């Protein structure tokens, strides 16, 4: 219970003081909060998606990476729109007129008003040029954040706070009356001097320094299309072991951006059947392409992994997720899948669960499955999943759109749903499916051996390929207790039991004995012996088959 003495006393008038954020925080946000180059580029791609573009083209000036251009054919901005945007960082107006885009009715991704600053993470200075349909003009603007990002000391002096407490983080110069055809619309962002860190990341400078060698490098681009890259990664332990910095960036951007899966992906059954896959239909995005340096990107998930094609295990299995309920007065709707496969899932980056909101990937795969509270041993490495959130959870997103606030009720509800499915269905099924597989496998191999045995027997001179019948033998032709009837072997039931007991054989040894017996009879060895010789031979055999 809260002690009222430590709260505000009701009989006193409290004094007041405003809460103010340090300039550094604003500066940090404006210099980019995105984890990686791909996470930053994803923001620009998302903006184009929200603007109803059908095509985004990125050129990186590979292998130098000095000059980046991001171009889209979306609805564009007027200079007034643009100035409003850059002068009101963090004040997104995107969802003022509804939750969906005008033309394609896409659920809007943007909501905060900082995504465009992702460019600042690629370079301190950038240009934006844009035009809207119906206008005969376009604008070109230079955004310069450089003087404000040199270091903290410079920042202290240069960041000015105006009378409303606003902080200047950069400056814009623009020209707004450049001629343009009125039926065009586009936005082009140019980053002329990419940051050194970005360049060294893309050129794998640090990897080179320690002698790393990847399969696919920007110096030796051996792929024709994105499908080739996905195939390389599909059989790799880790994507970052086979891709250099540049290709890893492409791979990660493909994972995060609002794109379709590769045609036929993410589940391809050409080489191995997947139980439950027929019920899954992947989400699709209409009329949206992302092309980087001439390569069209697609979501890179593709299962089963190459190693699973001929692996002696139950078939991979797909479990579908489906949740649609009100949680704390807000709708939480998501679907998706959890896929299990033996041996473990490759690449490492796909282990765990990946969450998408409005088609955009949030951060990396969560290997802990949202903090799953049980130790499932080796099985934990054999599952991967994706959650496509349709409604809800958005307020739990942190501003970098890379992680969640775990205290959010929607996050917790999602967690409970996933954990329950893993704990009560998926992991227990590993056991039961493996057991069933083993038994079927054993039965199948026994059947194959039986068939082979019959084949071999039939090559002998008097093949006994029929049944073994246990009954009283009235005419023991081969020994005192064994006879034949056509291709069937007749064994005297009570004498057989005595024989087993006196020679202490049972189970598999007894089965082997009967097989040997059939071989001997089929090759007419036993019929040449007198009863006493036969009895001695049978007793010697009984010892021979013992374990
Ligand atoms: N490629 C683009 N085409 C058209 N308008 C754009 C484009 N990029 C940005 N804008 C405009 O700039 C605004 C700011 O973009 P920004 O990404 O910073 O914020 P947002 O998308 O609204 O929200 P969030 O921070 O969540 O991404 C957008 O709301 C949009 O009006
Ligand atoms: Mg945005």
């Amino acid at each position: 219970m809260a002690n009222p003495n430590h709260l505000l006393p009701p009989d006193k008038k409290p004094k007041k003081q405003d809460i103010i954020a340090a300039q550094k925080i604003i500066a940090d946000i404006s210099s980019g909060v995105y984890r990686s180059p791909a996470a930053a580029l994803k923001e620009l791609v998302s903006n184009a998606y929200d603007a109803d573009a059908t095509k985004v083209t990125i050129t990186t000036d590979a292998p130098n990476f000095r000059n980046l251009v991001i171009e889209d054919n979306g609805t564009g901005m007027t200079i007034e729109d643009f100035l409003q945007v850059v002068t009101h960082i963090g004040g997104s107006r995107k969802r003022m007129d509804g939750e969906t885009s005008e033309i394609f009715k896409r659920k809007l991704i943007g909501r905060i008003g900082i995504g465009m600053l992702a460019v600042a993470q690629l370079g301190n200075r950038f240009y934006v040029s844009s035009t809207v349909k119906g206008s005969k003009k376009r604008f070109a603007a230079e955004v310069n954040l450089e003087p404000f990002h040199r270091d903290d000391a410079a920042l202290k002096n240069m960041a000015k706070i105006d009378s409303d407490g606003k902080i200047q983080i950069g400056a814009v110069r623009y020209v707004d009356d450049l001629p343009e055809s009125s039926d065009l619309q586009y936005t082009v962002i140019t980053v002329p001097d990419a940051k050194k860190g970005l360049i060294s990341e893309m050129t794998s400078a640090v990897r080179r320094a320690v002698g790393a060698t990847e399969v696919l490098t920007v110096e030796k681009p051996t792929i024709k299309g994105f499908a080739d890259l996905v195939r390389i990664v599909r059989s790799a332990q880790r994507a970052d072991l086979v891709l250099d910095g540049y290709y890893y960036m492409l791979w990660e951007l493909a994972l995060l951006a609002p794109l379709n899966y590769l045609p036929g992906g993410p589940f391809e059954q050409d080489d191995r059947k997947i139980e439950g896959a027929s019920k899954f239909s992947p989400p699709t995005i209409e009329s949206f392409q992302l092309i980087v340096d001439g390569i069209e990107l697609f979501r890179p998930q593709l299962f089963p992994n190459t190693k699973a094609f001929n692996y002696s295990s139950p078939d991979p299995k797909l479990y579908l997720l489906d949740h649609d309920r009100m949680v704390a007065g807000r709708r939480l709707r998501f679907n998706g899948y959890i896929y299990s496969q033996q041996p473990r899932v490759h690449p490492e980056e796909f282990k765990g669960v990946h969450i998408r909101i409005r088609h955009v990937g949030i951060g990396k795969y969560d290997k802990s499955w949202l903090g799953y509270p049980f130790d499932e041993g080796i099985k934990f490495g054999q599952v991967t999943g994706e959650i496509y959130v349709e409604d809800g959870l958005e307020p739990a997103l942190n501003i970098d759109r890379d992680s969640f606030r775990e205290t959010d009720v929607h996050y917790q509800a999602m967690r409970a749903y996933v954990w329950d499915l893993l704990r009560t269905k998926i992991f227990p099924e590993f056991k039961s499916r493996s057991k069933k597989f083993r038994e079927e496998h054993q039965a199948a191999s026994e059947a194959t051996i039986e068939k082979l045995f019959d084949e071999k027997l039939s090559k002998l001179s008097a093949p006994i390929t029929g049944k073994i019948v246990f009954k009283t033998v009235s005419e023991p032709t081969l020994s005192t207790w064994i006879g034949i009837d056509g291709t069937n072997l007749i064994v005297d039931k009570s004498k057989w039991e005595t024989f087993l007991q006196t020679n202490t054989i049972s189970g598999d040894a007894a089965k082997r004995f009967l097989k040997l017996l059939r071989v001997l009879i089929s090759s007419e060895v036993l019929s040449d012996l007198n009863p006493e010789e036969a009895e001695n031979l049978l007793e010697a055999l009984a010892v021979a088959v013992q374990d």
Side-chain angles (χ1 to χ4, degrees), residues 27 30 35 42 96-97 108 136 141 165 194 196 199 243 256 261 267 373 381 384 401 418 431 481 498:
S30 64
R35 176 171 48 82
K42 168 198 82 173
M96 274 192 340
D97 302 326
L108 295 171
K136 289 201 169 95
K196 284 211 178 64
I199 297 175
L243 304 177
L256 299 176
Y261 290 101
F267 301 109
T384 177
R401 246 195 284 272
V418 170
K431 243 192 184 161
W481 52 282
T498 317

Side-chain angles (χ1 to χ4, degrees), residues 34 43-53 70-72 74-77 81-82 85-86 88-95 109-118 128 130 186-189 399 401:
Y34 304 100
E43 288 299 322
L44 306 182
V45 174
S46 301
N47 281 347
Y49 176 89
D50 285 348
D52 279 326
I70 301 101
E71 177 171 1
D72 73 70
T75 48
M77 286 172 275
D81 295 338
F82 177 71
V85 165
V86 288
H88 293 81
I89 300 292
S92 179
R93 296 157 71 91
K94 218 173 236 181
R95 299 202 189 176
I109 299 164
R111 58 194 280 267
I112 303 170
I114 58 163
M116 203 146 88
L117 279 175
V128 180
S130 189
Y186 60 79
T187 300
V188 183
I189 296 174
I399 58 166
R401 246 195 284 272

Side-chain angles (χ1 to χ4, degrees), residues 47-64:
N47 281 347
Y49 176 89
D50 285 348
D52 279 326
T54 57
K55 190 171 172 179
V56 186
T57 316
I58 300 180
T59 51
T60 67
D61 179 33
N64 301 316

Side-chain angles (χ1 to χ4, degrees), residues 13 17-18 31 65 87 131 151 188 248 260 280 284 376 458 517 527 534 536:
K13 190 174 184 308
Q17 180 79 58
D18 290 337
S31 62
F65 306 107
T87 54
T131 185
D151 56 48
V188 183
Y248 192 79
N260 285 310
F280 175 75
T284 51
E376 301 285 355
S458 62
L517 196 58
S527 45
N536 289 339

Side-chain angles (χ1 to χ4, degrees), residues 19-38:
I19 300 169
I20 297 168
Q23 297 164 22
K24 175 125 182 29
I25 291 187
I26 309 296
D28 272 352
I29 292 172
S30 64
S31 62
V33 292
Y34 304 100
R35 176 171 48 82
S36 61

Side-chain angles (χ1 to χ4, degrees), residues 405-455:
R405 262 188 300 282
E406 299 186 3
T407 47
D408 181 274
V409 283
H410 275 192
Y411 185 83
Q412 295 186 354
M414 188 172 72
R415 215 178 203 183
Y417 176 90
V418 170
W419 287 356
D420 184 60
L421 190 62
L422 287 172
R423 184 68 178 166
T424 61
K425 189 163 168 73
I426 299 178
F427 288 132
E429 269 202 27
F430 264 80
K431 243 192 184 161
S432 57
R433 294 179 80 232
S434 291
K435 186 160 173 271
K436 191 162 158 253
F437 177 80
R438 263 200 317 275
E439 284 165 2
E440 280 171 6
H441 217 65
Q442 217 169 357
S445 70
E446 273 168 19
T448 335
I449 290 174
E450 242 9 88
K451 203 166 152 252
L452 191 65
F453 184 61
D454 281 354
E455 257 174 54

